[in-house]
Amino acid sequence: MLLLLLTNNINNTNNTNNTNNTNVMKVLISGGGTGGHIFPAISIANALSRRDPSTEILFVGALGRMEMERVPAAGYEIVGLPVAGFDRSRLWRNFGVLIKLGRSMLKARKIMRDFQPDVAVGVGGYASGPMLREAQRRGIPTVIQEQNSYPGVTNKLLAPKAKAICVAYDNTDRFFPAELIEITGNPVRADLLTLDITRAEAKRRLGMDPERPVVFVTGGSLGARTINTSIADNLDLLTRDGAQLLWQTGRNDAERWRQAAEGREGVTATEFVADMAVAYRAADLVVARAGACTISELQLLGKPAILVPSPNVAEDHQRRNAEALANRGAAVMVLDADAASDLAPAVVNLLGDNDRLASLVDNISKMALPGADDKIVDRIYKILNR
C-alpha cells in the first residue's frame, strides 16, 4: 500500500512546472536519515554554491532525524516532513506510517508550490520519495543520487521519470534505465581530502605512538553493537602485538565500552571522533560498517578496511556494498553473524601481513571516483541548459 501511494500519479505527469523566471537557480535537495545520505547532500549543495553563490538551495528532510540538525549547521535551510519508514516486520504498526505519508505528500505539494525549484535532487531517505514524486508530478526535472550498489525500492520506482541517476557502482543498469545512468561516485566531506599531515603526525595529534600501528574502529554516530562487543571481548588479542585502537563507540552504551577500555594501554575509546580526517589519516587499518558513504571515503583515502555490513538495513544493501569490494580484493568482509569469532583474528592477521595490506590499499584506491560533487553539479547544469 505504501508503494502504491508513492507511485500514484508518477506516470500521469501533468507538466505543471512553475519554475522561476529569474536567472537565479533554485535547487531542492531531499532525503536524509543517516550520514550516508546527509553528507553527500551537503557536498552537492556546497558544490552548487561554489559554482554559483547566488543559487538558492532548500533541503527537505524527515522531522526528528539527524538532517534537521546537520543541515542547518552546514548553513542551509531545511524543512521537515512528518514521514517515517515502513515497518516490514510488524505490519500492524504501519497504519500510522501511512497517515504520516499522506500528510507528507500534502506538505510536499505546498513546498513545491512555494519554493518553485528548477530541479529536485533526491539522495535517498524517508523524505526523498514524497518530494521527488511531487516534483515529477509537476514536471520538474529530478536527479537521483544513489549511493549503494543495490538501490532501494523508492529510487527504483522514481527512476523511470528522472532526468539523471548518479551512481557509484557499475552494473546498476540492472535496476535503472541505462540511458539515465551516470557513474559519478559518492560525494564525501571535503575536509577528509584536504588534510595535509603525515600519518605519524596524525597519530601524535591523537596522543598515540607514531611508531605503532593504529586500528580505527567506527560504527557510526550511534555505534554498532556487534562491532563494539567483538572489540570489547578481544582487547587482549587486539593489542597483544603492539597495535593501538582508536575506538569510536557511538552513543549507544558508550559508558559500557569506555569502562571496558579503561586502563588499557594503547586503547582510546570515545563516543564521538571530532576530527574524522585526522582519525582516518592516522589509521593503518579501518574496521567499519559498509555504508556507501564510508566506503567512498575509504576508496578516496586509500585505506585498507575490514567491513562488517549491518544486517538491519533495507534490501541488505550493506552486504552487497561490502561484497562489491571484497570480490575485487579491495576489502575484507566479516559478516555480522560471524563478527564475535572472526573479527578480532581478522584484524590481527591483517596487521601481520604487509603484502595483503598493500594489496588492499592498491585495489581500493583503484575504485575511487574523485570529484563526485562537481560531476553531479555538471549533470544538473546540463539538464537545465545552464
Side-chain angles (χ1 to χ4, degrees), residues 146-177:
E146 173 57 62
Q147 298 96 22
N148 295 294
S149 61
Y150 192 89
V153 174
T154 299
N155 277 353
K156 291 180 193 175
L157 292 171
L158 293 165
K161 290 292 181 179
K163 293 297 183 182
I165 303 165
C166 300
V167 302
Y169 292 90
D170 297 326
N171 302 318
T172 51
D173 55 354
R174 295 175 295 163
F175 315 107
F176 300 134

PDB file of all heavy atoms in Angstrom, residues 146-177:
ATOM      1  N   GLU A 146      22.133   7.858  -6.093  1.00  0.00           N
ATOM      2  CA  GLU A 146      22.055   6.546  -5.441  1.00  0.00           C
ATOM      3  C   GLU A 146      23.438   6.141  -4.953  1.00  0.00           C
ATOM      4  O   GLU A 146      24.361   5.952  -5.739  1.00  0.00           O
ATOM      5  CB  GLU A 146      21.509   5.502  -6.424  1.00  0.00           C
ATOM      6  CG  GLU A 146      21.532   4.080  -5.905  1.00  0.00           C
ATOM      7  CD  GLU A 146      20.772   3.911  -4.589  1.00  0.00           C
ATOM      8  OE1 GLU A 146      19.551   4.142  -4.561  1.00  0.00           O
ATOM      9  OE2 GLU A 146      21.422   3.545  -3.584  1.00  0.00           O
ATOM     10  N   GLN A 147      23.594   6.025  -3.627  1.00  0.00           N
ATOM     11  CA  GLN A 147      24.903   5.750  -3.057  1.00  0.00           C
ATOM     12  C   GLN A 147      25.296   4.276  -3.104  1.00  0.00           C
ATOM     13  O   GLN A 147      26.472   3.938  -3.161  1.00  0.00           O
ATOM     14  CB  GLN A 147      24.947   6.205  -1.592  1.00  0.00           C
ATOM     15  CG  GLN A 147      24.735   7.680  -1.369  1.00  0.00           C
ATOM     16  CD  GLN A 147      23.304   8.017  -1.021  1.00  0.00           C
ATOM     17  OE1 GLN A 147      22.549   7.171  -0.561  1.00  0.00           O
ATOM     18  NE2 GLN A 147      22.914   9.252  -1.274  1.00  0.00           N
ATOM     19  N   ASN A 148      24.307   3.386  -3.072  1.00  0.00           N
ATOM     20  CA  ASN A 148      24.579   1.966  -2.835  1.00  0.00           C
ATOM     21  C   ASN A 148      24.668   1.151  -4.120  1.00  0.00           C
ATOM     22  O   ASN A 148      24.160   1.546  -5.177  1.00  0.00           O
ATOM     23  CB  ASN A 148      23.497   1.388  -1.934  1.00  0.00           C
ATOM     24  CG  ASN A 148      23.502   2.007  -0.552  1.00  0.00           C
ATOM     25  OD1 ASN A 148      24.455   1.826   0.207  1.00  0.00           O
ATOM     26  ND2 ASN A 148      22.470   2.763  -0.222  1.00  0.00           N
ATOM     27  N   SER A 149      25.291  -0.012  -4.009  1.00  0.00           N
ATOM     28  CA  SER A 149      25.396  -0.911  -5.157  1.00  0.00           C
ATOM     29  C   SER A 149      24.062  -1.577  -5.461  1.00  0.00           C
ATOM     30  O   SER A 149      23.829  -2.021  -6.584  1.00  0.00           O
ATOM     31  CB  SER A 149      26.456  -1.987  -4.891  1.00  0.00           C
ATOM     32  OG  SER A 149      26.108  -2.763  -3.759  1.00  0.00           O
ATOM     33  N   TYR A 150      23.193  -1.632  -4.449  1.00  0.00           N
ATOM     34  CA  TYR A 150      21.866  -2.211  -4.628  1.00  0.00           C
ATOM     35  C   TYR A 150      20.844  -1.171  -4.165  1.00  0.00           C
ATOM     36  O   TYR A 150      20.710  -0.921  -2.974  1.00  0.00           O
ATOM     37  CB  TYR A 150      21.710  -3.493  -3.810  1.00  0.00           C
ATOM     38  CG  TYR A 150      20.481  -4.294  -4.172  1.00  0.00           C
ATOM     39  CD1 TYR A 150      20.537  -5.258  -5.164  1.00  0.00           C
ATOM     40  CD2 TYR A 150      19.265  -4.078  -3.525  1.00  0.00           C
ATOM     41  CE1 TYR A 150      19.413  -6.001  -5.497  1.00  0.00           C
ATOM     42  CE2 TYR A 150      18.140  -4.804  -3.860  1.00  0.00           C
ATOM     43  CZ  TYR A 150      18.219  -5.770  -4.838  1.00  0.00           C
ATOM     44  OH  TYR A 150      17.104  -6.492  -5.178  1.00  0.00           O
ATOM     45  N   PRO A 151      20.133  -0.528  -5.094  1.00  0.00           N
ATOM     46  CA  PRO A 151      19.263   0.592  -4.727  1.00  0.00           C
ATOM     47  C   PRO A 151      18.013   0.154  -3.985  1.00  0.00           C
ATOM     48  O   PRO A 151      17.578  -1.004  -4.076  1.00  0.00           O
ATOM     49  CB  PRO A 151      18.900   1.213  -6.084  1.00  0.00           C
ATOM     50  CG  PRO A 151      19.057   0.107  -7.063  1.00  0.00           C
ATOM     51  CD  PRO A 151      20.169  -0.757  -6.543  1.00  0.00           C
ATOM     52  N   GLY A 152      17.427   1.103  -3.267  1.00  0.00           N
ATOM     53  CA  GLY A 152      16.188   0.858  -2.554  1.00  0.00           C
ATOM     54  C   GLY A 152      14.977   0.908  -3.472  1.00  0.00           C
ATOM     55  O   GLY A 152      15.048   1.344  -4.628  1.00  0.00           O
ATOM     56  N   VAL A 153      13.846   0.478  -2.940  1.00  0.00           N
ATOM     57  CA  VAL A 153      12.620   0.383  -3.724  1.00  0.00           C
ATOM     58  C   VAL A 153      12.178   1.754  -4.228  1.00  0.00           C
ATOM     59  O   VAL A 153      11.767   1.907  -5.388  1.00  0.00           O
ATOM     60  CB  VAL A 153      11.501  -0.267  -2.886  1.00  0.00           C
ATOM     61  CG1 VAL A 153      10.178  -0.236  -3.632  1.00  0.00           C
ATOM     62  CG2 VAL A 153      11.867  -1.695  -2.538  1.00  0.00           C
ATOM     63  N   THR A 154      12.255   2.779  -3.380  1.00  0.00           N
ATOM     64  CA  THR A 154      11.773   4.108  -3.762  1.00  0.00           C
ATOM     65  C   THR A 154      12.522   4.638  -4.980  1.00  0.00           C
ATOM     66  O   THR A 154      11.912   5.136  -5.937  1.00  0.00           O
ATOM     67  CB  THR A 154      11.921   5.093  -2.588  1.00  0.00           C
ATOM     68  OG1 THR A 154      11.142   4.627  -1.491  1.00  0.00           O
ATOM     69  CG2 THR A 154      11.432   6.473  -2.987  1.00  0.00           C
ATOM     70  N   ASN A 155      13.846   4.527  -4.985  1.00  0.00           N
ATOM     71  CA  ASN A 155      14.609   5.019  -6.126  1.00  0.00           C
ATOM     72  C   ASN A 155      14.321   4.224  -7.395  1.00  0.00           C
ATOM     73  O   ASN A 155      14.310   4.775  -8.497  1.00  0.00           O
ATOM     74  CB  ASN A 155      16.111   4.999  -5.819  1.00  0.00           C
ATOM     75  CG  ASN A 155      16.555   6.230  -5.044  1.00  0.00           C
ATOM     76  OD1 ASN A 155      15.785   7.168  -4.847  1.00  0.00           O
ATOM     77  ND2 ASN A 155      17.787   6.228  -4.596  1.00  0.00           N
ATOM     78  N   LYS A 156      14.087   2.937  -7.244  1.00  0.00           N
ATOM     79  CA  LYS A 156      13.722   2.141  -8.423  1.00  0.00           C
ATOM     80  C   LYS A 156      12.401   2.634  -9.021  1.00  0.00           C
ATOM     81  O   LYS A 156      12.247   2.701 -10.245  1.00  0.00           O
ATOM     82  CB  LYS A 156      13.591   0.666  -8.041  1.00  0.00           C
ATOM     83  CG  LYS A 156      14.890  -0.018  -7.680  1.00  0.00           C
ATOM     84  CD  LYS A 156      14.588  -1.469  -7.334  1.00  0.00           C
ATOM     85  CE  LYS A 156      15.748  -2.153  -6.673  1.00  0.00           C
ATOM     86  NZ  LYS A 156      15.404  -3.523  -6.238  1.00  0.00           N
ATOM     87  N   LEU A 157      11.446   2.976  -8.162  1.00  0.00           N
ATOM     88  CA  LEU A 157      10.153   3.438  -8.638  1.00  0.00           C
ATOM     89  C   LEU A 157      10.234   4.819  -9.276  1.00  0.00           C
ATOM     90  O   LEU A 157       9.539   5.117 -10.252  1.00  0.00           O
ATOM     91  CB  LEU A 157       9.151   3.460  -7.482  1.00  0.00           C
ATOM     92  CG  LEU A 157       8.746   2.098  -6.907  1.00  0.00           C
ATOM     93  CD1 LEU A 157       7.942   2.291  -5.636  1.00  0.00           C
ATOM     94  CD2 LEU A 157       7.952   1.304  -7.936  1.00  0.00           C
ATOM     95  N   LEU A 158      11.089   5.679  -8.717  1.00  0.00           N
ATOM     96  CA  LEU A 158      11.200   7.044  -9.217  1.00  0.00           C
ATOM     97  C   LEU A 158      12.073   7.150 -10.467  1.00  0.00           C
ATOM     98  O   LEU A 158      11.970   8.115 -11.226  1.00  0.00           O
ATOM     99  CB  LEU A 158      11.784   7.953  -8.137  1.00  0.00           C
ATOM    100  CG  LEU A 158      10.918   8.187  -6.891  1.00  0.00           C
ATOM    101  CD1 LEU A 158      11.752   8.793  -5.783  1.00  0.00           C
ATOM    102  CD2 LEU A 158       9.725   9.071  -7.209  1.00  0.00           C
ATOM    103  N   ALA A 159      12.918   6.163 -10.692  1.00  0.00           N
ATOM    104  CA  ALA A 159      13.927   6.246 -11.740  1.00  0.00           C
ATOM    105  C   ALA A 159      13.395   6.484 -13.146  1.00  0.00           C
ATOM    106  O   ALA A 159      13.961   7.302 -13.887  1.00  0.00           O
ATOM    107  CB  ALA A 159      14.801   4.986 -11.722  1.00  0.00           C
ATOM    108  N   PRO A 160      12.334   5.816 -13.587  1.00  0.00           N
ATOM    109  CA  PRO A 160      11.905   5.987 -14.988  1.00  0.00           C
ATOM    110  C   PRO A 160      11.552   7.414 -15.364  1.00  0.00           C
ATOM    111  O   PRO A 160      11.666   7.790 -16.535  1.00  0.00           O
ATOM    112  CB  PRO A 160      10.685   5.058 -15.091  1.00  0.00           C
ATOM    113  CG  PRO A 160      10.912   4.024 -14.054  1.00  0.00           C
ATOM    114  CD  PRO A 160      11.559   4.743 -12.918  1.00  0.00           C
ATOM    115  N   LYS A 161      11.121   8.227 -14.423  1.00  0.00           N
ATOM    116  CA  LYS A 161      10.744   9.611 -14.706  1.00  0.00           C
ATOM    117  C   LYS A 161      11.841  10.613 -14.354  1.00  0.00           C
ATOM    118  O   LYS A 161      11.651  11.819 -14.485  1.00  0.00           O
ATOM    119  CB  LYS A 161       9.467   9.980 -13.947  1.00  0.00           C
ATOM    120  CG  LYS A 161       8.214   9.289 -14.460  1.00  0.00           C
ATOM    121  CD  LYS A 161       7.836   9.791 -15.843  1.00  0.00           C
ATOM    122  CE  LYS A 161       6.577   9.120 -16.346  1.00  0.00           C
ATOM    123  NZ  LYS A 161       6.197   9.625 -17.690  1.00  0.00           N
ATOM    124  N   ALA A 162      12.987  10.114 -13.892  1.00  0.00           N
ATOM    125  CA  ALA A 162      14.105  11.006 -13.565  1.00  0.00           C
ATOM    126  C   ALA A 162      14.801  11.464 -14.842  1.00  0.00           C
ATOM    127  O   ALA A 162      14.682  10.839 -15.900  1.00  0.00           O
ATOM    128  CB  ALA A 162      15.092  10.300 -12.648  1.00  0.00           C
ATOM    129  N   LYS A 163      15.531  12.556 -14.737  1.00  0.00           N
ATOM    130  CA  LYS A 163      16.338  13.046 -15.843  1.00  0.00           C
ATOM    131  C   LYS A 163      17.755  12.491 -15.801  1.00  0.00           C
ATOM    132  O   LYS A 163      18.434  12.424 -16.830  1.00  0.00           O
ATOM    133  CB  LYS A 163      16.392  14.575 -15.829  1.00  0.00           C
ATOM    134  CG  LYS A 163      15.064  15.251 -16.118  1.00  0.00           C
ATOM    135  CD  LYS A 163      14.565  14.936 -17.517  1.00  0.00           C
ATOM    136  CE  LYS A 163      13.267  15.678 -17.808  1.00  0.00           C
ATOM    137  NZ  LYS A 163      12.758  15.335 -19.169  1.00  0.00           N
ATOM    138  N   ALA A 164      18.214  12.110 -14.615  1.00  0.00           N
ATOM    139  CA  ALA A 164      19.549  11.536 -14.479  1.00  0.00           C
ATOM    140  C   ALA A 164      19.610  10.746 -13.184  1.00  0.00           C
ATOM    141  O   ALA A 164      18.934  11.087 -12.198  1.00  0.00           O
ATOM    142  CB  ALA A 164      20.624  12.614 -14.481  1.00  0.00           C
ATOM    143  N   ILE A 165      20.421   9.686 -13.189  1.00  0.00           N
ATOM    144  CA  ILE A 165      20.635   8.867 -12.000  1.00  0.00           C
ATOM    145  C   ILE A 165      22.137   8.755 -11.807  1.00  0.00           C
ATOM    146  O   ILE A 165      22.840   8.141 -12.613  1.00  0.00           O
ATOM    147  CB  ILE A 165      20.006   7.473 -12.153  1.00  0.00           C
ATOM    148  CG1 ILE A 165      18.518   7.606 -12.460  1.00  0.00           C
ATOM    149  CG2 ILE A 165      20.222   6.653 -10.891  1.00  0.00           C
ATOM    150  CD1 ILE A 165      17.884   6.340 -12.978  1.00  0.00           C
ATOM    151  N   CYS A 166      22.642   9.381 -10.761  1.00  0.00           N
ATOM    152  CA  CYS A 166      24.079   9.421 -10.484  1.00  0.00           C
ATOM    153  C   CYS A 166      24.425   8.304  -9.506  1.00  0.00           C
ATOM    154  O   CYS A 166      23.883   8.258  -8.396  1.00  0.00           O
ATOM    155  CB  CYS A 166      24.467  10.781  -9.907  1.00  0.00           C
ATOM    156  SG  CYS A 166      24.102  12.159 -11.026  1.00  0.00           S
ATOM    157  N   VAL A 167      25.338   7.420  -9.914  1.00  0.00           N
ATOM    158  CA  VAL A 167      25.622   6.218  -9.134  1.00  0.00           C
ATOM    159  C   VAL A 167      27.111   6.109  -8.842  1.00  0.00           C
ATOM    160  O   VAL A 167      27.938   6.834  -9.418  1.00  0.00           O
ATOM    161  CB  VAL A 167      25.130   4.951  -9.865  1.00  0.00           C
ATOM    162  CG1 VAL A 167      23.633   5.040 -10.151  1.00  0.00           C
ATOM    163  CG2 VAL A 167      25.911   4.734 -11.167  1.00  0.00           C
ATOM    164  N   ALA A 168      27.444   5.160  -7.957  1.00  0.00           N
ATOM    165  CA  ALA A 168      28.838   4.956  -7.558  1.00  0.00           C
ATOM    166  C   ALA A 168      29.356   3.579  -7.934  1.00  0.00           C
ATOM    167  O   ALA A 168      30.534   3.290  -7.722  1.00  0.00           O
ATOM    168  CB  ALA A 168      28.991   5.165  -6.049  1.00  0.00           C
ATOM    169  N   TYR A 169      28.493   2.722  -8.487  1.00  0.00           N
ATOM    170  CA  TYR A 169      28.885   1.353  -8.795  1.00  0.00           C
ATOM    171  C   TYR A 169      28.505   0.994 -10.233  1.00  0.00           C
ATOM    172  O   TYR A 169      27.527   1.529 -10.777  1.00  0.00           O
ATOM    173  CB  TYR A 169      28.201   0.365  -7.845  1.00  0.00           C
ATOM    174  CG  TYR A 169      28.675   0.456  -6.421  1.00  0.00           C
ATOM    175  CD1 TYR A 169      28.044   1.308  -5.505  1.00  0.00           C
ATOM    176  CD2 TYR A 169      29.748  -0.306  -5.969  1.00  0.00           C
ATOM    177  CE1 TYR A 169      28.480   1.390  -4.188  1.00  0.00           C
ATOM    178  CE2 TYR A 169      30.185  -0.224  -4.650  1.00  0.00           C
ATOM    179  CZ  TYR A 169      29.548   0.624  -3.770  1.00  0.00           C
ATOM    180  OH  TYR A 169      29.979   0.706  -2.473  1.00  0.00           O
ATOM    181  N   ASP A 170      29.268   0.065 -10.812  1.00  0.00           N
ATOM    182  CA  ASP A 170      28.928  -0.482 -12.116  1.00  0.00           C
ATOM    183  C   ASP A 170      27.695  -1.387 -11.997  1.00  0.00           C
ATOM    184  O   ASP A 170      27.279  -1.761 -10.903  1.00  0.00           O
ATOM    185  CB  ASP A 170      30.103  -1.306 -12.673  1.00  0.00           C
ATOM    186  CG  ASP A 170      31.342  -0.456 -12.917  1.00  0.00           C
ATOM    187  OD1 ASP A 170      31.181   0.715 -13.283  1.00  0.00           O
ATOM    188  OD2 ASP A 170      32.460  -0.978 -12.735  1.00  0.00           O
ATOM    189  N   ASN A 171      27.147  -1.740 -13.140  1.00  0.00           N
ATOM    190  CA  ASN A 171      26.071  -2.732 -13.253  1.00  0.00           C
ATOM    191  C   ASN A 171      24.751  -2.293 -12.629  1.00  0.00           C
ATOM    192  O   ASN A 171      23.891  -3.136 -12.350  1.00  0.00           O
ATOM    193  CB  ASN A 171      26.498  -4.076 -12.632  1.00  0.00           C
ATOM    194  CG  ASN A 171      27.753  -4.634 -13.279  1.00  0.00           C
ATOM    195  OD1 ASN A 171      27.892  -4.584 -14.502  1.00  0.00           O
ATOM    196  ND2 ASN A 171      28.660  -5.155 -12.474  1.00  0.00           N
ATOM    197  N   THR A 172      24.565  -1.000 -12.420  1.00  0.00           N
ATOM    198  CA  THR A 172      23.275  -0.554 -11.892  1.00  0.00           C
ATOM    199  C   THR A 172      22.201  -0.498 -12.969  1.00  0.00           C
ATOM    200  O   THR A 172      21.046  -0.203 -12.668  1.00  0.00           O
ATOM    201  CB  THR A 172      23.406   0.837 -11.236  1.00  0.00           C
ATOM    202  OG1 THR A 172      24.048   1.725 -12.148  1.00  0.00           O
ATOM    203  CG2 THR A 172      24.196   0.755  -9.946  1.00  0.00           C
ATOM    204  N   ASP A 173      22.576  -0.808 -14.229  1.00  0.00           N
ATOM    205  CA  ASP A 173      21.557  -0.887 -15.273  1.00  0.00           C
ATOM    206  C   ASP A 173      20.641  -2.081 -15.080  1.00  0.00           C
ATOM    207  O   ASP A 173      19.653  -2.237 -15.794  1.00  0.00           O
ATOM    208  CB  ASP A 173      22.203  -0.921 -16.662  1.00  0.00           C
ATOM    209  CG  ASP A 173      23.224  -2.031 -16.823  1.00  0.00           C
ATOM    210  OD1 ASP A 173      23.529  -2.729 -15.828  1.00  0.00           O
ATOM    211  OD2 ASP A 173      23.726  -2.202 -17.947  1.00  0.00           O
ATOM    212  N   ARG A 174      20.955  -2.921 -14.101  1.00  0.00           N
ATOM    213  CA  ARG A 174      20.015  -3.989 -13.711  1.00  0.00           C
ATOM    214  C   ARG A 174      18.772  -3.405 -13.056  1.00  0.00           C
ATOM    215  O   ARG A 174      17.715  -4.049 -13.036  1.00  0.00           O
ATOM    216  CB  ARG A 174      20.687  -4.951 -12.720  1.00  0.00           C
ATOM    217  CG  ARG A 174      21.851  -5.741 -13.272  1.00  0.00           C
ATOM    218  CD  ARG A 174      22.497  -6.556 -12.175  1.00  0.00           C
ATOM    219  NE  ARG A 174      23.112  -5.699 -11.160  1.00  0.00           N
ATOM    220  CZ  ARG A 174      23.451  -6.112  -9.938  1.00  0.00           C
ATOM    221  NH1 ARG A 174      23.181  -7.349  -9.546  1.00  0.00           N
ATOM    222  NH2 ARG A 174      24.032  -5.285  -9.088  1.00  0.00           N
ATOM    223  N   PHE A 175      18.909  -2.191 -12.514  1.00  0.00           N
ATOM    224  CA  PHE A 175      17.823  -1.595 -11.744  1.00  0.00           C
ATOM    225  C   PHE A 175      17.270  -0.322 -12.372  1.00  0.00           C
ATOM    226  O   PHE A 175      16.106   0.026 -12.149  1.00  0.00           O
ATOM    227  CB  PHE A 175      18.321  -1.265 -10.331  1.00  0.00           C
ATOM    228  CG  PHE A 175      19.118  -2.356  -9.682  1.00  0.00           C
ATOM    229  CD1 PHE A 175      20.489  -2.245  -9.526  1.00  0.00           C
ATOM    230  CD2 PHE A 175      18.490  -3.513  -9.240  1.00  0.00           C
ATOM    231  CE1 PHE A 175      21.230  -3.248  -8.930  1.00  0.00           C
ATOM    232  CE2 PHE A 175      19.225  -4.532  -8.638  1.00  0.00           C
ATOM    233  CZ  PHE A 175      20.597  -4.400  -8.488  1.00  0.00           C
ATOM    234  N   PHE A 176      18.114   0.396 -13.109  1.00  0.00           N
ATOM    235  CA  PHE A 176      17.739   1.703 -13.647  1.00  0.00           C
ATOM    236  C   PHE A 176      17.837   1.703 -15.174  1.00  0.00           C
ATOM    237  O   PHE A 176      18.619   0.929 -15.737  1.00  0.00           O
ATOM    238  CB  PHE A 176      18.673   2.797 -13.095  1.00  0.00           C
ATOM    239  CG  PHE A 176      18.663   2.950 -11.610  1.00  0.00           C
ATOM    240  CD1 PHE A 176      19.855   3.063 -10.894  1.00  0.00           C
ATOM    241  CD2 PHE A 176      17.468   3.010 -10.899  1.00  0.00           C
ATOM    242  CE1 PHE A 176      19.860   3.231  -9.521  1.00  0.00           C
ATOM    243  CE2 PHE A 176      17.460   3.174  -9.522  1.00  0.00           C
ATOM    244  CZ  PHE A 176      18.649   3.283  -8.838  1.00  0.00           C
ATOM    245  N   PRO A 177      17.106   2.597 -15.834  1.00  0.00           N
ATOM    246  CA  PRO A 177      17.270   2.757 -17.281  1.00  0.00           C
ATOM    247  C   PRO A 177      18.713   3.151 -17.619  1.00  0.00           C
ATOM    248  O   PRO A 177      19.229   4.151 -17.107  1.00  0.00           O
ATOM    249  CB  PRO A 177      16.282   3.882 -17.618  1.00  0.00           C
ATOM    250  CG  PRO A 177      15.263   3.849 -16.518  1.00  0.00           C
ATOM    251  CD  PRO A 177      16.019   3.455 -15.301  1.00  0.00           C
TER     252      PRO A 177
END
